[in-house]
Amino acid sequence: LNTSMKGLSVLKLGGSVITDKTTPEAVDTDTLETVVETIGSAVTSGESASTTGHERQTSAERSKKDIGNLNHHSHAEHEGLIIVHGGGSFGHHHAERHNVSTTTGTSDAAAIWEIHDAMRRLNDTVIEALHAVGVPAIPVHPLSVATRDENSTLEIPIDPFSRMLAQGYVPVTHGDIVIDSQSGATILSGDEIVVSVAEGLTADRVGLCSTVSGVYDDDGSVIPKITTYESVADVLGDSETTDVTGGMAGKVRTLLNLEMPAHIFGPTALTEFFAHKQVGTSIQ
Ligand code: IP8
């Protein structure tokens, strides 16, 4: 199996974009819908719009039709997309409640289940929203397939992703809790998955759709390009709301380790990201 996907984009939808981080388990339905519509038109090249006039169709029927269309044209119209979403007020709320982080683990099966279950339910919501706009999304749940080894290195199989992509599907995975050989089970950030999957499949580019328009400088302007952590260490503060995986500083560090270009941008720039334009802050 050829694991190099030319033209592949890996897009992370930040947990704070699709959920209301101030309220436990609250989906930000409006933003999710807007973001998903943009993904829908990018992936289906406007085809989903042609079905919106069919009022009698249920959304399931509509998505079936669109998914059929997409399968038929997938290779010509888009070259592959993997979506990874964060935890927002689903994952982070439960992780904090059980005092679990990327380094502090738990061996309590009930805690593991509660954190995973919240993420799985958020993932269901994202998948359903994508189907409603004709995106052939299918889930990949990290807890069942990914682990951390003795050195805390993430091991996530790439084959499910490449085979799903090869058949024209859009794999949708998420931050999760995973079995950790050192400490029971620890939090796996969506950002870590983005890095592993983008590298494993030699993706062309990575996008982090966040609530901010990019990485801000001291004067409030968006820094167009970051090439070293030192150059921005002073301006990167901690995330203000509950985030067990490191906030913006952690994201920048993680993305600097990537071989392909990454962009951090806000939801309004998503269309331009899909149009391959320079958006938000590029990290290279
Ligand atoms: O929001 C964290 O994922 P992230 C997932 O991508 C959990 O850092 C379970 C807190």
Side-chain angles (χ1 to χ4, degrees):
L1 185 71
N2 180 6
T3 53
S4 177
M5 289 286 302
K6 200 160 169 7
L8 174 67
S9 300
V10 179
L11 173 68
K12 164 130 189 245
L13 298 178
S16 51
V17 172
I18 58 170
T19 73
D20 170 1
K21 264 189 132 177
T22 60
T23 312
E25 297 204 14
V27 175
D28 184 337
T29 318
D30 289 348
T31 312
L32 177 63
E33 260 175 34
T34 311
V35 161
V36 151
E37 291 267 326
T38 306
I39 298 173
S41 17
V43 168
T44 63
S45 296
E47 281 192 359
S48 62
S50 65
T51 61
T52 51
H54 298 242
E55 270 106 18
R56 289 216 190 86
Q57 278 181 334
T58 64
S59 79
E61 280 166 347
R62 203 159 56 224
S63 71
K64 227 175 172 176
K65 179 168 185 281
D66 286 349
I67 288 167
N69 287 344
L70 177 62
N71 271 340
H72 189 62
H73 297 290
S74 62
H75 296 295
E77 290 175 359
H78 81 113
E79 294 164 294
L81 173 66
I82 293 176
I83 298 174
V84 181
H85 66 78
S89 65
F90 283 73
H92 291 283
H93 164 72
H94 291 284
E96 197 177 61
R97 224 163 45 82
H98 291 291
N99 194 25
V100 186
S101 71
T102 52
T103 50
T104 308
T106 179
S107 50
D108 176 5
I112 296 172
W113 168 245
E114 273 176 40
I115 296 166
H116 174 71
D117 179 48
M119 287 309 301
R120 199 183 40 75
R121 284 182 284 113
L122 177 60
N123 183 254
D124 288 351
T125 305
V126 174
I127 299 263
E128 278 159 18
L130 286 164
H131 283 190
V133 296
V135 177
I138 39 178
V140 179
H141 300 301
L143 172 63
S144 307
V145 292
T147 53
R148 287 193 199 280
D149 69 11
E150 287 69 21
N151 307 312
S152 285
T153 306
L154 170 65
E155 290 180 348
I156 185 162
I158 288 303
D159 258 24
F161 292 96
S162 51
R163 289 181 198 277
M164 286 172 190
L165 289 165
Q167 293 196 17
Y169 296 109
V170 174
V172 183
T173 188
H174 52 86
D176 205 345
I177 183 160
V178 290
I179 296 301
D180 183 320
S181 308
Q182 285 277 339
S183 23
T186 48
I187 298 300
L188 168 62
S189 150
D191 297 0
E192 284 178 85
I193 307 176
V194 165
V195 169
S196 275
V197 168
E199 270 172 358
L201 288 167
T202 329
D204 256 22
R205 63 209 188 109
V206 161
L208 253 65
C209 181
S210 162
T211 40
V212 292
S213 310
V215 180
Y216 296 112
D217 213 337
D218 280 336
D219 66 2
S221 61
V222 170
I223 301 172
K225 193 165 184 167
I226 298 175
T227 50
T228 65
Y229 190 78
E230 294 70 50
S231 64
V232 287
D234 289 350
V235 296
L236 289 176
D238 287 334
S239 177
E240 276 160 34
T241 40
T242 310
D243 195 324
V244 294
T245 51
M248 190 58 92
K251 284 186 208 315
V252 171
R253 278 184 198 282
T254 312
L255 296 175
L256 276 167
N257 290 330
L258 271 183
E259 275 159 39
M260 61 288 301
H263 304 270
I264 299 181
F265 54 88
T268 53
L270 192 54
T271 311
E272 287 152 275
F273 172 75
F274 280 119
H276 291 255
K277 292 196 179 128
Q278 192 70 30
V279 282
T281 300
S282 347
I283 298 176
Q284 239 164 331

